[in-house]
Amino acid sequence: FKSDIEIIRERDPAARGIIEIFLCYPGFQSIVIHRFTHKLWQLKIPLIPRLLSHLNRQVTGIEIHPGAKIGDGFFMDHAMGIVIGETAEIGDNTVIRECVTINRGTNHRNKTIIGKNCLIMAYSHIAHDCLLGDFCIFSNNSTLAGHVTVGDHVTLAGMVAVHQFCHIGRHSFVAGGSLVRKDIPPYVKAAREPLSYVGINSVGLRRRGFKASTISSIQNIYRILFQKKHNNTQAISIIEAEVEATKERDEILSFIQNSQRGIMKGYFQN
């Protein structure tokens, strides 16, 4: 439990000592109980893990199925009303806030996955069979329907709702209150209604160490795709012919070509 204590002391300035964490942090108490019940679950011991999980819920107000796989350094901040389903998997050093719900998987993927170093804020819901990458930030009341795929370093501002089977590419930013009905390609900012391209996520890319030349190339790709009034097929042909091949260029083109729901609208002016 060392990593679970360390992340609380790192992330919560109100934590004044180990004894206080043991006695006054229901999130920590709940994860301690869960790690024990999960071991029993892995040993295929019947009934007892579920009974202990039920007791955990009564004492802490947190429901974690003993089958859920939770990594090291997991912190439930202001923990209350949190629900984590049977086949959910949560990576190391992830923080979730009060009233977050994470469903189990179904026959589609058989699991719901949250990556490493994510922050899932209060009242967010992640439905069955969703797949979240690493370093994602979901602000309050973000809601994902089932089967959604989210890449690494994606930020959802408050009250974003994502339609089932949508795909959000890496390093994207989605503005607060947005309704996501189409796929969002990598490296962009998305906003407005209907959801549209409003530029690349240049601030996020700079913070993550992207070179200015790389950011400029990404910007040029989306200028061709979204601002030159080409259809997607025409834009892809022009990008392949005129833009130097890089991993970012190829990632964007692959995302567009493999989109199942179609990508969001291009830039427009009111």
Side-chain angles (χ1 to χ4, degrees):
F1 310 116
K2 182 179 179 181
S3 62
D4 298 318
I5 293 173
E6 287 175 347
I7 196 170
I8 293 174
R9 301 186 72 173
E10 174 188 329
R11 301 289 183 91
D12 188 355
R16 294 179 173 82
I18 294 176
I19 293 176
E20 183 176 300
I21 291 171
F22 268 91
L23 296 179
C24 304
Y25 279 70
F28 177 75
Q29 296 163 353
S30 181
I31 194 62
V32 168
I33 295 170
H34 171 72
R35 297 208 188 281
F36 177 66
T37 61
H38 184 63
K39 290 291 185 183
L40 298 180
W41 184 266
Q42 289 177 314
L43 294 172
K44 301 187 184 302
I45 295 174
L47 190 57
I48 293 175
R50 292 301 306 273
L51 287 174
L52 291 174
S53 176
H54 182 67
L55 178 63
N56 187 6
R57 178 185 181 184
Q58 299 302 314
V59 173
T60 66
I62 300 165
E63 181 177 346
I64 310 177
H65 192 285
K69 297 179 181 179
I70 299 177
D72 295 332
F74 177 63
F75 181 25
M76 292 177 282
D77 195 7
H78 295 282
M80 174 59 72
I82 292 168
V83 179
I84 302 175
E86 177 182 358
T87 59
E89 297 183 9
I90 301 175
D92 297 343
N93 302 313
T94 284
V95 176
I96 64 176
R97 299 292 298 267
E98 62 270 24
C99 299
V100 168
T101 52
I102 303 171
N103 289 165
R104 60 158 294 153
T106 65
N107 291 335
H108 175 224
R109 284 176 172 158
N110 298 312
K111 59 183 68 175
T112 302
I113 299 176
I114 314 295
K116 299 177 181 178
N117 299 289
C118 293
L119 171 59
I120 313 297
M121 297 188 194
Y123 299 95
S124 293
H125 173 67
I126 300 168
H128 57 89
D129 301 287
C130 287
L131 174 58
L132 275 62
D134 301 333
F135 298 97
C136 291
I137 299 175
F138 287 10
S139 297
N140 292 8
N141 293 287
S142 296
T143 301
L144 269 58
H147 315 278
V148 171
T149 300
V150 179
D152 298 340
H153 293 281
V154 167
T155 299
L156 303 185
M159 301 185 71
V160 169
V162 185
H163 193 281
Q164 62 186 4
F165 292 102
C166 281
H167 187 182
I168 302 176
R170 298 189 316 129
H171 298 281
S172 293
F173 177 90
V174 185
S178 296
L179 302 178
V180 180
R181 305 180 185 92
K182 297 287 187 178
D183 293 345
I184 300 174
Y187 310 112
V188 303
K189 294 183 295 185
R192 301 179 174 174
E193 174 59 31
L195 194 72
S196 307
Y197 170 78
V198 293
I200 68 166
N201 186 16
S202 55
V203 173
L205 297 179
R206 285 196 297 269
R207 287 174 177 170
R208 295 170 201 135
F210 281 72
K211 296 179 180 179
S213 58
T214 302
I215 295 173
S216 178
S217 176
I218 293 170
Q219 197 163 30
N220 185 40
I221 290 169
Y222 283 113
R223 188 176 294 115
I224 295 169
L225 179 65
F226 283 137
Q227 295 179 253
K228 296 294 185 180
K229 298 183 179 180
H230 303 300
N231 63 39
N232 288 347
T233 302
Q234 292 169 335
I236 288 170
S237 297
I238 294 170
I239 292 166
E240 289 176 331
E242 297 183 2
V243 179
E244 180 184 358
T246 63
K247 64 179 181 180
E248 290 82 16
R249 188 204 75 164
D250 292 345
E251 178 182 359
I252 294 167
L253 293 179
S254 176
F255 185 99
I256 296 166
Q257 291 166 333
N258 292 299
S259 173
Q260 298 298 306
R261 291 188 57 80
I263 62 172
M264 66 180 182
K265 288 181 175 291
Y267 177 82
F268 70 92
Q269 294 179 323
N270 292 328

